[in-house]
Amino acid sequence: KFLKQYQGEFFIAGGLNFENVGDILENTHAAGVDLASGVETGGKIDRKKITKIFNKLNSDSIIHSS
């Protein structure tokens, strides 16, 4: 509720992954997200996880170009 009413710009970080990042972006007006651990496997960046997240966000029309 707080984030919907907050007027400043903010980023969301912590625990974001394929399953929840779309809902987070749809339900807040976050300027961006930090996906770090949500796109890692064994402590290393996992390109498949990054691709999966962006494909979901694009297919759900959540990513908007300015």
Side-chain angles (χ1 to χ4, degrees), residues 3-27:
L3 292 178
K4 285 185 176 184
Q5 298 172 357
Y6 183 72
Q7 296 299 312
E9 289 189 357
F10 60 93
F11 280 69
I12 296 179
L16 301 177
N17 57 46
F18 170 78
E19 295 175 358
N20 63 16
V21 71
D23 289 336
I24 295 293
L25 289 172
E26 284 181 331
N27 291 299

Side-chain angles (χ1 to χ4, degrees), residues 2-66:
F2 171 77
L3 292 178
K4 285 185 176 184
Q5 298 172 357
Y6 183 72
Q7 296 299 312
E9 289 189 357
F10 60 93
F11 280 69
I12 296 179
L16 301 177
N17 57 46
F18 170 78
E19 295 175 358
N20 63 16
V21 71
D23 289 336
I24 295 293
L25 289 172
E26 284 181 331
N27 291 299
T28 70
H29 61 274
V33 294
D34 177 350
L35 298 171
S37 63
V39 294
E40 292 179 353
T41 299
K44 297 187 180 197
I45 297 295
D46 185 328
R47 289 179 182 250
K48 290 180 183 177
K49 286 185 177 180
I50 293 171
T51 300
K52 187 175 179 180
I53 287 175
F54 278 93
N55 286 341
K56 176 177 178 40
L57 296 177
N58 280 323
S59 69
D60 291 350
S61 298
I62 296 170
I63 296 178
H64 306 285
S65 59
S66 35

